[in-house]
Amino acid sequence: MPPVSSCDCPHLDCVGEITKEELIQKSHGQCQDCKVGGPNLWACLENGCPYVGCGESHADHSTVHSQDTRHNLTVNLTTLRVWCYACGKEVFLERKLGPHSPHSNSKPLPLPQNVGLTGLKNIGNTCYMNAALQALSNCPPLTQFFVECGGLVRTDKKPALCKSYQKLVSDLWHKNRPSYVVPTNLFQGIKAINPMFRGYAQQDSQEFLRCLMDQLHEELKEQLPEPCDQSHSITMDDSPEEDNHNDTNEAEMLIPEQDEIQANREWQKEKNMINDLTGVDIDKDVDTTTETTPIISSQGAIKVQGRASDIQMPNTTRPQSPVPMEGHIPKMSSSPPKAASGWPSLNPAHKKVTTFSPPKNKRQKKYRSIISDVFDGTIVSSVQCLTCDRVSVTLENFQDISLPIPGKEDLAKLHSSTHQTSLVKAGSCGEAYAPQGWIAFVMEYIKSWFWGPVVTLQDCLAAFFARDELKGDNMYSCEKCKKLRNGVKFCKMQSLPEILCIHLKRFRHELMFSTKISTHVSFPLEGLDLQPFLAKDSSAQTTSYDLLSVICHHGTASNGHYIAYCRNDVNNLWYEFDDQSVTEVSEACVQNAEAYVLFYKKSNEDAVKERRRVSGLFNMMEPSLLQFYVSRQWLNKFKTFAEPGTISNDDFLCLHGGVPPNKATFIDDLVVMLPQNVWDHLYSRYGGGPAVNHLYVCHTCQTEIEKLEKRRKQELDMFVRLNKAFQEEESPVVIYCISMQWFREWEGFVKGKDNDPPGPIDNSKITVNKNGHLTLKQGADSGQISEETWNFLHSIYGGGPLLTVRPNISHQEVESSQSEEKIEVETRSV
């Protein structure tokens, strides 16, 4: 909700003179009725009234005071926000502190001239969007990508939200910053994607974040390069036996396609992970599964997101650095360098020009984007059947975690010694409370009876990762028992994201109404440790996180206002972003905030030292005999990530080591040139690569592109000719049926919308088995083609099963054939 300007509230004349120091002093007091302490006490602003009362999280005596005395204005002593009971709205005062006392030496401090301190105009109940955008823009890894790697922000997908976001970030962080920015273009793009955000109703800030980040990923995602494997090169004479993975089970998806020894090593690692989680002998009966891309939903449940899994296999080879040469001028030639001992040799499969016959089974594509690089983590969860002891394990990707806020009984259970012991034995989150003794627990429990539950962010994490008993209406469907059984679910973090987004579940939505949990959750500004929630076989090195920004919601479930507190990366000071207003605040003010969404970043002093070391190498100005090219995206990771990972130049190189023809025109946006001493240091520290000191357009890729275009044209021309003849045939003897789902994939390929040809023809979804004979399923999504067209497509793609309809033979068959007229409509446009 937008704040009301001072001229909109007729009750401001009743406000007495008050200073920030007086409000801070009152914040250390108690409710004058129930004696409860802060945070979130409210002080009456009526002239001469000293009343201080509690808010909604307790007995709400501040509201009672207003109703009894008709004192309309009150200020939150934690956030310094002003509320008018008579108007039912928030009131925007001068820096929300009221006029300053003429006897006070306190003066409003001017904002320093640092970038990133620009407000966002509220354009109609858009505080939820403004708070989310400010919190997201103060995440350095993401913001620096849009600022430093602007040339990589390319998309042909509507509404090109990444372009709008890039422009917004550029305006917010420009040196000559305006006082505020109007985010109209981005808001229009969001409304075009999701109708929920149309109109001027208040929306949920976390849902807006999810929608924005999903769309940015979709527009910026790039396909990950497939492993260099000669057995998967696409040739005309491939035999069917070369690719027989049609029935690959889910467990195999966790194992890289390597030799049997490596597979056994991976399986042993999998068994160790399950043993760590459950304490059950894995050799008894274990089922490991993976899902496409499950995401932790805003309700705390697991849901599958419709994008491919963003898991990048590590590069296991390290090419040798080339022998230095003198006087390299950065430019791109049209030919590759000749093979030399200093350059890694190309795979023989890449030296030959491959033809584009389709693979027998279409591989699942894997993608990555700056969003997945920054926010993606992995949770490994296991479910144990308490009847047969069978354990199933699932790897689940997440970009945010929705944490419950435990109540008194939940806290008592989490802190109890018995529960801690069971959790530690079960491999869950008991380690989070292992250092805490009985004395500290009893003291906190006694305090909770007087001042309400003392909930920490660690409590919320512990509640999320605690073992979950599956019983009653939530029983586990055991695949071995083939029945609903009682079970136990455990989960841990397998990989940690660079930035951890935590959503506190403050809102409960029932059929007729919604409620809000106003319990104060304390959270650390530095040193959030995720080690207790990490799987024992996790390769994560950095487990400590520091707070970047926090989105806060003030008010009720039906009427409230969003703001954001963000730590400026330039001066490390905290600021409150309240629509157009930007105000410096203390750390105490941030910690007393009613957090809703928190952004934490990995903290690694070694990464900071490494950046200083590389900066020193740059400043040495040492004469370099050779210049090396490195990915601009990876260099941005090095500058902003705690763990940048191995050097990856795959975003500007093809599998053959050259520049893909479609990227040659903007290669300068993709690479940065480094002197030899800097490259040698980075390469020895991080590995990866490959080393590149010569850019050339890949002739192999160019040839493949030309052959692909030729193939597309040949297939399209032949189909049009055959289908035209079929349409002119008055009474065909036999009509062949084809799945429209497969046909659309083929159509997308020949029209150039998809670079990969479709897999084999799959008619399984349009057939039904009747008395041992395959017939066309009633109402199936199928089309009709001639025998010649079927033979033509089948000769290229294979597949089946063969399904024909003979007109005038059977009344039922005639009805089925007459209902399938879509192929003519679909293909005439071709």
Side-chain angles (χ1 to χ4, degrees):
M1 169 180 297
V4 182
S5 64
S6 57
C7 59
D8 292 333
C9 179
H11 309 95
L12 293 178
D13 294 337
C14 301
V15 177
E17 294 183 350
I18 189 169
T19 64
K20 184 175 180 179
E21 288 77 9
E22 292 172 339
L23 294 179
I24 293 176
Q25 184 177 1
K26 287 186 176 184
S27 68
H28 299 306
Q30 299 175 335
C31 172
Q32 295 180 9
D33 290 317
C34 64
K35 307 304 179 187
V36 69
N40 291 320
L41 293 175
W42 292 80
C44 181
L45 290 179
E46 187 79 12
N47 190 13
C49 181
Y51 182 81
V52 174
C54 59
E56 292 176 333
S57 57
H58 298 286
D60 201 11
H61 285 119
S62 59
T63 301
V64 175
H65 170 77
S66 173
Q67 294 171 347
D68 293 342
T69 63
R70 296 189 180 278
H71 293 175
N72 297 314
L73 292 171
T74 182
V75 59
N76 187 298
L77 295 176
T78 299
T79 64
L80 301 182
R81 304 183 61 77
V82 178
W83 184 265
C84 179
Y85 286 103
C87 296
K89 296 180 179 180
E90 183 190 359
V91 178
F92 180 70
L93 295 180
E94 197 179 317
R95 287 189 175 269
K96 298 183 295 300
L97 299 179
H100 286 261
S101 170
H103 306 292
S104 172
N105 293 324
S106 173
K107 293 183 179 179
L109 296 177
L111 290 176
Q113 296 301 313
N114 288 318
V115 292
L117 299 178
T118 305
L120 290 172
K121 183 178 177 60
N122 193 309
I123 49 181
N125 269 348
T126 57
C127 59
Y128 67 92
M129 177 181 71
N130 293 346
L133 292 174
Q134 294 288 9
L136 206 58
S137 75
N138 279 274
C139 296
L142 184 64
T143 294
Q144 287 304 308
F145 170 83
F146 283 95
V147 173
E148 301 292 338
C149 307
L152 303 179
V153 183
R154 299 170 178 269
T155 186
D156 56 358
K157 299 178 181 179
K158 301 296 182 181
L161 200 65
C162 59
K163 289 288 188 181
S164 300
Y165 185 76
Q166 180 189 26
K167 177 64 167 61
L168 179 68
V169 169
S170 177
D171 291 342
L172 290 177
W173 290 85
H174 197 276
K175 284 188 285 187
N176 300 324
R177 60 181 179 85
S179 59
Y180 65 89
V181 174
V182 184
T184 304
N185 290 339
L186 189 139
F187 188 41
Q188 294 298 330
I190 285 289
K191 291 192 291 185
I193 298 167
N194 195 328
M196 176 179 67
F197 298 105
R198 296 172 187 173
Y200 296 95
Q202 180 68 278
Q203 301 293 341
D204 186 272
S205 188
Q206 192 264 346
E207 291 179 355
F208 170 84
L209 273 173
R210 184 79 272 130
C211 179
L212 173 63
M213 292 167 64
D214 285 348
Q215 184 64 22
L216 291 178
H217 171 82
E218 285 299 315
E219 293 182 358
L220 296 175
K221 68 181 182 181
E222 295 180 335
Q223 185 176 351
L224 290 172
E226 295 183 1
C228 300
D229 191 344
Q230 185 175 359
S231 64
H232 294 287
S233 62
I234 304 171
T235 58
M236 288 295 291
D237 57 350
D238 279 341
S239 62
E241 289 79 8
E242 288 186 11
D243 195 351
N244 54 359
H245 304 301
N246 292 334
D247 297 323
T248 302
N249 60 37
E250 291 176 316
E252 291 175 340
M253 295 173 66
L254 296 175
I255 304 176
E257 296 177 1
Q258 300 177 7
D259 55 30
E260 186 176 355
I261 296 177
Q262 179 64 24
N264 289 336
R265 290 176 181 171
E266 294 294 327
W267 174 235
Q268 186 62 44
K269 180 179 179 182
E270 193 76 20
K271 292 195 294 184
N272 294 338
M273 176 176 64
I274 299 169
N275 288 335
D276 289 339
L277 279 170
T278 65
V280 177
D281 187 359
I282 186 63
D283 293 318
K284 287 184 178 179
D285 193 354
V286 175
D287 174 42
T288 59
T289 60
T290 62
E291 298 179 6
T292 306
T293 313
I295 299 293
I296 308 298
S297 71
S298 59
Q299 287 75 32
I302 305 298
K303 65 178 180 179
V304 177
Q305 183 170 303
R307 64 178 175 84
S309 177
D310 302 325
I311 302 175
Q312 185 172 4
M313 299 305 295
N315 190 351
T316 57
T317 60
R318 292 190 181 184
Q320 297 294 322
S321 296
V323 179
M325 295 187 299
E326 180 87 39
H328 174 73
I329 301 176
K331 65 177 182 179
M332 184 167 57
S333 69
S334 58
S335 61
K338 296 180 179 179
S341 58
W343 287 85
S345 60
L346 293 178
N347 187 306
H350 299 147
K351 293 181 179 179
K352 65 179 180 180
V353 177
T354 60
T355 56
F356 282 84
S357 288
K360 301 303 177 184
N361 189 31
K362 202 171 183 180
R363 282 176 174 244
Q364 183 183 19
K365 299 177 183 179
K366 298 179 181 179
Y367 297 90
R368 59 148 297 277
S369 71
I370 183 61
I371 299 297
S372 60
D373 289 349
V374 173
F375 295 99
D376 268 17
T378 308
I379 286 179
V380 56
S381 62
S382 63
V383 179
Q384 178 186 355
C385 176
L386 297 182
T387 302
C388 66
D389 285 338
R390 176 183 177 273
V391 179
S392 62
V393 176
T394 307
L395 285 177
E396 304 159 349
N397 285 353
F398 70 89
Q399 288 187 349
D400 57 41
I401 299 182
S402 294
L403 302 183
I405 301 177
K408 286 184 179 181
E409 295 182 359
D410 300 318
L411 285 175
K413 184 178 179 181
L414 287 171
H415 287 261
S416 67
S417 177
T418 304
H419 187 64
Q420 291 171 31
T421 304
S422 65
L423 289 178
V424 173
K425 288 181 179 179
S428 188
C429 60
E431 298 95 324
Y433 295 109
Q436 183 180 30
W438 263 103
I439 297 178
F441 163 68
V442 171
M443 292 299 295
E444 285 191 6
Y445 195 68
I446 293 175
K447 286 169 59 180
S448 69
W449 282 104
F450 293 95
W451 293 285
V454 180
V455 182
T456 67
L457 187 59
Q458 204 79 359
D459 293 327
C460 300
L461 285 165
F464 179 85
F465 287 102
R467 57 181 291 173
D468 187 13
E469 297 181 358
L470 307 178
K471 59 184 180 180
D473 294 335
N474 194 29
M475 294 181 71
Y476 167 60
S477 179
C478 180
E479 293 185 8
K480 182 179 180 182
C481 299
K482 305 298 182 183
K483 293 182 179 180
L484 290 175
R485 298 292 193 186
N486 290 337
V488 180
K489 181 176 180 178
F490 314 92
C491 61
K492 285 258 189 169
M493 286 188 172
Q494 183 67 20
S495 65
L496 299 177
E498 181 65 28
I499 291 182
L500 175 66
C501 179
I502 296 176
H503 163 232
L504 297 179
K505 297 166 68 175
R506 290 196 174 275
F507 297 102
R508 292 178 180 173
H509 302 287
E510 307 296 338
L511 292 176
M512 301 297 296
F513 60 91
S514 299
T515 58
K516 178 184 175 183
I517 302 173
S518 299
T519 303
H520 178 73
V521 177
S522 63
F523 50 89
L525 299 183
E526 297 177 347
L528 175 66
D529 188 16
L530 297 185
Q531 181 64 46
F533 314 106
L534 203 63
K536 291 183 179 179
D537 71 328
S538 172
S539 60
Q541 301 294 322
T542 304
T543 61
S544 180
Y545 283 77
D546 295 340
L547 186 65
L548 289 175
S549 54
V550 53
I551 301 173
C552 304
H553 179 270
H554 301 289
T556 64
S558 58
N559 192 3
H561 184 67
Y562 286 97
I563 64 168
Y565 293 107
C566 307
R567 181 175 61 84
N568 186 271
D569 193 51
V570 178
N571 59 15
N572 284 323
L573 296 177
W574 284 93
Y575 294 89
E576 178 193 86
F577 292 85
D578 183 358
D579 289 334
Q580 295 178 211
S581 173
V582 181
T583 310
E584 181 183 338
V585 294
S586 65
E587 292 185 353
C589 180
V590 177
Q591 289 181 302
N592 287 332
E594 192 173 298
Y596 180 49
V597 179
L598 304 103
F599 289 88
Y600 278 92
K601 184 183 182 300
K602 279 183 180 177
S603 175
N604 188 349
E605 278 300 319
D606 290 339
V608 177
K609 294 178 182 177
E610 191 64 29
R611 286 193 281 268
R612 292 173 182 167
R613 192 175 295 116
V614 170
S615 180
L617 292 175
F618 266 109
N619 295 331
M620 288 175 60
M621 302 299 292
E622 179 180 322
S624 181
L625 299 177
L626 195 64
Q627 302 286 339
F628 287 85
Y629 296 97
V630 70
S631 163
R632 189 179 294 271
Q633 287 194 72
W634 184 87
L635 197 61
N636 179 66
K637 287 185 179 180
F638 171 75
K639 293 178 181 179
T640 58
F641 280 45
E643 295 176 329
T646 58
I647 299 173
S648 175
N649 288 333
D650 294 330
D651 60 342
F652 70 90
L653 294 178
C654 66
L655 293 176
H656 317 110
V659 177
N662 62 326
K663 294 184 178 181
T665 56
F666 56 94
I667 186 64
D668 290 340
D669 295 332
L670 304 179
V671 301
V672 175
M673 194 160 50
L674 302 178
Q676 181 181 339
N677 63 331
V678 175
W679 165 258
D680 288 342
H681 176 81
L682 292 175
Y683 181 77
S684 63
R685 175 70 174 82
Y686 296 101
V692 180
N693 71 331
H694 178 67
L695 296 175
Y696 61 93
V697 179
C698 179
H699 283 299
T700 303
C701 285
Q702 185 63 45
T703 303
E704 289 177 350
I705 290 174
E706 293 171 358
K707 294 193 71 172
L708 185 65
E709 290 301 321
K710 182 179 179 181
R711 172 187 169 172
R712 283 172 170 153
K713 186 176 185 305
Q714 288 175 344
E715 290 188 21
L716 182 60
D717 291 346
M718 178 61 73
F719 176 83
V720 170
R721 184 168 63 84
L722 294 175
N723 192 60
K724 182 179 179 182
F726 176 59
Q727 300 297 332
E728 294 173 351
E729 192 173 353
E730 293 185 359
S731 55
V733 177
V734 61
I735 296 176
Y736 284 68
C737 299
I738 192 168
S739 166
M740 286 302 300
Q741 180 179 348
W742 182 90
F743 181 83
R744 294 185 190 101
E745 292 182 9
W746 174 82
E747 184 181 12
F749 166 67
V750 295
K751 286 184 175 182
K753 297 179 180 179
D754 191 345
N755 290 328
D756 296 328
I761 298 173
D762 183 9
N763 280 343
S764 61
K765 295 181 179 180
I766 65 171
T767 60
V768 60
N769 193 324
K770 292 184 178 179
N771 300 324
H773 298 282
L774 293 179
T775 60
L776 183 66
K777 185 185 296 184
Q778 185 70 26
D781 186 22
S782 65
Q784 298 171 314
I785 57 177
S786 66
E787 180 179 6
E788 292 78 8
T789 306
W790 169 266
N791 291 335
F792 168 67
L793 294 175
H794 190 267
S795 66
I796 300 175
Y797 295 98
L802 178 66
L803 189 63
T804 61
V805 174
R806 296 182 180 273
N808 303 323
I809 300 299
S810 166
H811 177 69
Q812 181 178 1
E813 290 180 344
V814 170
E815 286 184 347
S816 298
S817 64
Q818 288 176 346
S819 64
E820 310 301 334
E821 299 291 342
K822 288 184 249 180
I823 192 72
E824 181 178 358
V825 177
E826 292 276 350
T827 58
R828 279 180 177 175
S829 61
V830 176

